Amino acid sequence: MAAPAGCLCLSSALLLIWAGICSPVCVEVPSETEAVQGTHMKLLCISCMKREEVSASTVVEWFYKTEGGKDELIYEYRKVHHEFPSRFSGRLQWNGSKDMQDVSITVLNVTLNDSGIYTCNVTREFDFEIHRPLFTSSRLIHLTVVEEAGEDFTSVISEIMMYILLVFLTLWLLIEMVYCYRKVSKAEETVQENATDYLAIPSENKENCAVPVEE
Ligand SMILES: *[C@@H]1O[C@H](CO)[C@@H](O)[C@H](O)[C@H]1NC(C)=O
Ligand SMILES: *[C@@H]1O[C@H](CO)[C@@H](O)[C@H](O)[C@H]1NC(C)=O
Ligand SMILES: *[C@@H]1O[C@H](CO)[C@@H](O)[C@H](O)[C@H]1NC(C)=O
Ligand SMILES: *[C@@H]1O[C@H](CO)[C@@H](O)[C@H](O)[C@H]1NC(C)=O
């Protein structure tokens, strides 16, 4: 599909793999903000845990609102997963990690009506201490659902640039070859006019241009 988007995807995948190998490293990658109708959309929400939060239990809330509407709780994790009755009923799936650093959900079979603002609120609660400090983080995802996957403008530009570069390189190569060929054949002419000079030319000079020369 789109080349820069693919690049971006690959580099974030590499980043994730790298983060996975060096496991204490957690990278808060932002979510994609465009979905194609009828596909599954992963709403990425990564909330990296700080050292002091490791013993906390995590509460995750996902809200949805239309542009200018009110936040509606659609999904919650509080020891158990709970999907609230909404227009997403049956279409939400937990897609996070066990350690609760990745608390993503996936919306199945996205419709055009699913465009809007998704909020992912993560709270780390300390259950056992007398005063319970809370750590919260909040992330907004402005989701746009499109009817079809379209090539975005930047990818078209970069594709055009690639072809221009290719044509330019080919032309340059041709010019270089013609120039070299001419040089060689000119040298050959003078050589044929003056055979004694030819013998005087050191042998490495004859092989200056590595272009096959026809007689
Ligand atoms: C979770 O996300 C991955 C990609 O990150 C995807 O391949 C997988 O199908 C998702 N799982 C569910 C249950 O949607
Ligand atoms: C996705 O939703 C559309 C419209 O709501 C429905 O017609 C279609 O069957 C659904 N597809 C799947 C795979 O659930
Ligand atoms: C989208 O929402 C509008 C109004 O809320 C409703 O009339 C329409 O049927 C919905 N479309 C789909 C595909 O759910
Ligand atoms: C999510 O958390 C932020 C920051 O703690 C808070 O301002 C916001 O009201 C919360 N959103 C909802 C819908 O509760």
Side-chain angles (χ1 to χ4, degrees):
M1 214 187 69
C7 271
L8 205 73
C9 231
L10 190 72
S11 52
S12 52
L14 283 176
L15 210 68
L16 280 179
I17 288 166
W18 175 76
I21 292 165
C22 321
S23 41
V25 182
C26 173
V27 184
E28 299 193 352
V29 186
S31 181
E32 298 252 359
T33 55
E34 195 177 282
V36 180
Q37 175 178 222
T39 63
H40 299 342
M41 176 64 193
K42 182 173 181 177
L43 298 168
L44 193 66
C45 179
I46 297 175
S47 168
C48 295
M49 227 181 283
K50 293 178 195 73
R51 188 178 291 254
E52 68 272 18
E53 296 168 8
V54 170
S55 62
S57 64
T58 301
V59 174
V60 181
E61 291 167 309
W62 276 96
F63 300 90
Y64 169 77
K65 68 175 175 190
T66 51
E67 207 75 49
K70 246 184 72 191
D71 274 315
E72 180 193 355
L73 188 60
I74 55 169
Y75 194 96
E76 185 187 72
Y77 171 81
R78 193 186 289 268
K79 292 192 176 78
V80 290
H81 296 277
H82 184 68
E83 191 181 327
F84 288 87
S86 67
R87 28 183 301 264
F88 297 97
S89 289
R91 289 197 297 135
L92 297 181
Q93 261 181 15
W94 176 254
N95 205 344
S97 63
K98 274 222 175 79
D99 66 4
M100 301 307 279
Q101 304 214 65
D102 180 352
V103 296
S104 306
I105 56 171
T106 296
V107 183
L108 305 178
N109 196 8
V110 176
T111 70
L112 290 179
N113 278 6
D114 295 340
S115 295
I117 299 159
Y118 294 79
T119 308
C120 154
N121 269 12
V122 180
T123 310
R124 312 262 189 223
E125 280 180 340
F126 290 83
D127 293 331
F128 47 86
E129 284 177 25
I130 298 157
H131 82 140
R132 298 179 170 183
L134 292 181
F135 295 93
T136 59
S137 75
S138 183
R139 229 167 282 327
L140 287 183
I141 301 167
H142 272 255
L143 187 73
T144 312
V145 181
V146 295
E147 281 183 44
E148 267 170 64
E151 277 202 88
D152 65 305
F153 189 62
T154 47
S155 86
V156 172
I157 293 278
S158 72
E159 219 160 278
I160 289 169
M161 290 298 284
M162 202 184 72
Y163 284 123
I164 288 174
L165 201 73
L166 216 78
V167 166
F168 176 78
L169 276 175
T170 312
L171 276 177
W172 180 75
L173 208 78
L174 270 174
I175 289 167
E176 197 76 347
M177 275 172 76
V178 165
Y179 176 75
C180 207
Y181 179 76
R182 283 226 179 130
K183 211 166 138 187
V184 167
S185 50
K186 209 176 244 173
E188 202 108 305
E189 268 168 39
T190 34
V191 157
Q192 268 154 20
E193 277 166 19
N194 200 337
T196 46
D197 276 6
Y198 175 73
L199 290 173
I201 297 170
S203 61
E204 60 260 34
N205 281 8
K206 283 180 237 162
E207 283 146 20
N208 258 354
C209 291
V211 173
V213 183
E214 287 148 50
E215 291 301 300

